[in-house]
């Protein structure tokens, strides 16, 4: 490769790994607006992340991670499980909230460590009834979508990121609207509420193996919702 091309490739890599916000955000914890989504960087310190991870392992023991199929017949690359009264599932018959997981039992309770984040950040006085746990292995991503399988869209959605960085893209109410992206780091919390509640969003890719919270690499995202 010509030197110029090498430098250009380096620059692209550099600009993708550090947004301007990262470079100049000297106040950890100050909320960041991303097309109306609010991101709270480093909401959880390392000890809180480790404790939550242990709680999520208990959830996964009770209701194992699965690779769901979309109604269109595509296998999702993200593996999922859930906690709470109802869990989000999908198969050929559609997206929905189910009161039982595929092995037949009710979902485990939402861990207190996870509920604490909702209570501190959601701004509402009702607890969530659903907690979706997403696991991204190498190459996993989540295409642009709206969270609209819930009965009442006025409740916020709160999401917690653990492990490897994930590139979060947020747009508007229409899939083709312009988008902005930011890397969600381990311990970051993102909230979709108000006008942004139904904004299109997704995870373009993760930087597999970069974090050291999960011993085998990967990213976990926990989303809390009032679904019913
Ligand atoms: C993820 N997050 O971060 C996917 N949904 O892996 C979501 O789909 C999401 O971050 C609603 C609200 C916040 C989110
Ligand atoms: Fe979502």
């Amino acid at each position: 490769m010509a030197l110029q091309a090498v430098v250009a490739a380096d620059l692209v890599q550099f600009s993708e790994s550090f947004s301007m916000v990262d470079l100049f955000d000297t106040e950890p914890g100050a909320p960041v607006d991303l097309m109306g989504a609010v991101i709270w960087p480093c909401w959880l310190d390392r000890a809180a992340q480790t404790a939550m991870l242990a709680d999520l392992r208990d959830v996964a023991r009770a209701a194992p991670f699965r690779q769901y199929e979309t109604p269109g017949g595509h296998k999702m690359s993200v593996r999922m499980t859930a906690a709470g009264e109802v869990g989000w599932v999908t198969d050929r018959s559609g997206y929905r909230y189910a009161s039982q997981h595929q092995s037949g039992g009710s979902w485990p309770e939402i861990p207190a460590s996870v509920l604490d984040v909702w209570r501190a950040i959601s701004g509402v006085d009702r607890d969530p009834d659903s907690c979706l746990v997403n696991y991204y292995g190498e190459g996993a991503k989540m295409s642009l979508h709206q969270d609209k399988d819930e009965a009442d869209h006025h409740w916020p959605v709160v999401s917690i990121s653990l492990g490897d960085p994930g590139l979060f893209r947020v747009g508007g109410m229409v899939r083709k609207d312009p988008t902005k992206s930011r890397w969600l780091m381990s311990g970051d919390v993102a909230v979709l509420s108000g006008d942004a509640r139904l904004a299109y969003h997704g995870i373009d890719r993760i930087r597999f193996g970069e974090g050291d919270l999960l011993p085998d690499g990967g990213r976990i995202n926990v989303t809390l919702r009032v679904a019913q």
Side-chain angles (χ1 to χ4, degrees):
M1 215 192 299
L3 180 61
Q4 251 177 331
V6 173
V7 172
D10 273 354
L11 275 176
V12 168
Q13 239 180 354
F14 177 79
S15 61
E16 282 181 356
S17 0
F18 302 93
S19 73
M20 296 303 273
V21 177
D22 288 333
L23 286 173
F24 298 111
D25 191 5
T26 48
E27 257 202 274
V32 175
D33 178 284
L34 191 70
M35 304 294 280
V38 179
I39 296 163
W40 297 85
C42 320
W43 181 269
L44 298 174
D45 64 19
R46 176 72 182 206
Q49 293 170 39
T50 306
M52 189 178 290
L53 186 62
D55 290 342
L56 295 173
R57 284 193 207 287
D58 290 341
V59 167
R61 255 190 292 275
F65 280 103
R66 284 180 182 270
Q67 228 176 334
Y68 294 140
E69 227 180 312
T70 65
H74 297 286
K75 266 247 148 88
M76 298 184 78
S77 57
V78 175
R79 288 167 194 276
M80 298 179 166
T81 185
E85 278 168 53
V86 288
W88 187 86
V89 296
T90 168
D91 57 22
R92 294 303 278 261
S93 61
Y95 302 127
R96 64 193 176 277
Y97 283 93
S99 54
Q100 298 216 319
H101 56 85
Q102 264 138 324
S103 316
S106 47
W107 303 96
E109 280 186 20
I110 302 177
S113 58
V114 175
L115 274 181
D116 284 348
V117 174
W118 171 277
R119 289 172 182 166
I121 229 168
S122 70
V124 298
D125 59 7
R126 177 170 169 183
D127 275 344
D129 57 10
S130 187
C131 169
L132 177 67
V133 186
N134 293 325
Y135 173 75
Y136 295 71
E138 194 161 15
K141 60 193 163 94
M142 191 175 296
S143 54
L144 275 186
H145 65 276
Q146 291 174 296
D147 284 30
K148 57 176 185 189
D149 300 319
E150 302 72 33
D152 180 347
H153 299 146
H154 103 272
W155 300 106
V157 182
V158 170
S159 107
I160 307 162
S161 292
L162 296 171
D164 294 337
L167 188 57
F168 187 48
R169 177 191 290 273
V170 185
M173 303 303 135
V174 176
R175 188 182 289 278
K176 286 190 218 153
D177 282 344
T179 61
K180 282 190 177 164
S181 299
R182 178 184 166 98
W183 287 99
L184 291 179
M185 310 302 289
S186 195
D188 288 0
V189 175
V191 182
L192 287 186
S193 65
D195 288 346
R197 172 62 179 77
L198 287 170
Y200 272 89
H201 60 279
I203 296 288
D204 288 344
R205 59 200 156 91
I206 70 166
R207 297 205 297 257
F208 183 81
E210 187 183 296
D212 59 357
L213 188 72
L214 279 67
D216 297 326
R219 171 175 184 266
I220 288 178
N221 177 262
V222 177
T223 42
L224 292 162
R225 300 182 178 81
V226 177
Q228 342 179 68

